[in-house]
Amino acid sequence: MIDVVLPCLNEAEALPWVLDRMPEGFRALVVDNASTDDSARVAADRGARVVAAPQRGFGAACHAGLRAAETEVVCVMDADASLDPADLPRLVAALGALEAGGGRAPSPGLPPPGLVLGRRRPTGPGAWPPHARLGNAVLARSLNRRAGTRLRDLGPMRAARRDALLALGLRDRRFGYPLEMVLRAARAEWRIGEIDVPYRPRTGASKVTGTLGGTVRAVRDMRRVLAEVAR
C-alpha cells in the first residue's frame, strides 16, 4: 500500500473524479486545508482518509499529509483533477528504477534516496496557461543552475520515501515547499528524475496557475526559498 497525499482547499467538485481513479494499492489521504466547501465530507464518503491542516498554505497541507502518512513510499499530487491518479504506478516504478541505478545511501543498509517528479504535458487548451508555464520554466532553470539538476518542470506529482523526505527538514509552508524539497534533496545527493505525465485542465476555480496573481505569489515564494536555501 502507498499513501497518496492530496493537499486540498475547496476541491469538492474535483475530488470524486480523483478518488474514483485511485489505482489499486494506493490509498488516498486528503489533507483538508481549512476548506469552506464540502471537500472533507466528499473525501470521507468515498473512503479517503481525511487529515485536517488548519494552517493555510500549500506547504502546510503537504507536510501535514507527509507526517500523517504511514507507508514507506509516499506520493503527492494535486487534488484538482489536473493530474490522473492512474499515472501513479508509473511514477513509483520510476522511483524504484532510479534508486536501483545507484547513488549514495544516507546510511548503510538503506537504498539510495530518490525523488521522481511528473513532468506535466498539457492535454489541451487551458491546461497550463502561458504565464504559469513561463514562471515554471524560469524557476526550473534557476533550480538547475543552483542544484545541478536537469529538471524541466517542478511537477506537483511526486514519489519518494516518507522517512527520507521528513529527514530533509523542510521549513516552507507556502508555495515554496515543492521547490525546497528538490533543493534540499539535491544538496543531500539524492537521485532526482522525472517522467512525462498528462496535465489536464483543472476542475473548478484555480487558486494558483489559472490566475496571474496566484502565479506571481507562487513564483515569489519559490524565489524566496531559492535565496534562503542558497545561503
Side-chain angles (χ1 to χ4, degrees):
M1 186 64 65
I2 293 175
D3 280 336
V4 182
V5 176
L6 295 156
C8 173
L9 174 60
N10 296 333
E11 302 292 1
E13 186 179 354
L15 280 172
W17 186 87
V18 174
L19 297 177
D20 289 349
R21 292 183 62 79
M22 196 64 58
E24 183 178 356
F26 290 78
R27 179 172 57 191
L29 199 162
V30 175
V31 186
D32 183 23
N33 199 201
S35 296
T36 57
D37 65 2
D38 288 334
S39 292
R41 181 188 59 78
V42 170
D45 286 349
R46 277 177 162 72
R49 180 184 171 195
V50 179
V51 174
Q55 178 189 347
R56 278 284 179 92
F58 182 79
C62 286
H63 207 68
L66 184 60
R67 289 175 62 88
E70 299 173 345
T71 57
E72 180 181 1
V73 172
V74 296
C75 296
V76 181
M77 62 174 285
D78 289 344
D80 59 8
S82 61
L83 296 163
D84 191 344
D87 291 310
L88 290 173
R90 292 197 300 113
L91 212 69
V92 173
L95 175 65
L98 188 69
E99 291 184 336
R104 190 183 72 176
S107 63
L110 292 178
L115 172 64
V116 175
L117 289 70
R119 181 193 180 196
R120 290 169 286 186
R121 308 294 288 182
T123 61
W128 203 357
H131 61 269
R133 194 180 306 194
L134 176 62
N136 177 78
V138 170
L139 287 166
R141 282 197 296 269
S142 297
L143 168 67
N144 292 336
R145 187 169 58 250
R146 292 173 184 261
T149 51
R150 296 181 178 179
L151 297 173
R152 292 164 290 181
D153 181 19
L154 300 176
M157 177 181 272
R158 302 179 174 199
R161 296 185 181 272
R162 174 184 179 272
D163 289 349
L165 286 174
L166 289 172
L168 290 176
L170 302 176
R171 299 186 181 93
D172 191 82
R173 295 296 181 264
R174 292 166 57 88
F175 293 122
Y177 188 90
L179 177 60
E180 184 186 9
M181 181 186 295
V182 180
L183 275 171
R184 294 197 182 279
R187 291 288 176 87
E189 299 185 18
W190 289 27
R191 296 179 69 83
I192 303 172
E194 61 184 355
I195 65 170
D196 288 353
V197 296
Y199 192 52
R200 309 167 62 255
R202 63 156 290 143
T203 298
S206 175
K207 309 169 196 67
V208 186
T209 57
T211 67
L212 181 58
T215 299
V216 169
R217 287 193 297 274
V219 170
R220 185 174 58 217
D221 283 351
M222 291 186 182
R223 292 183 66 87
R224 172 179 48 78
V225 165
L226 273 172
E228 290 175 353
V229 175
R231 288 198 298 269

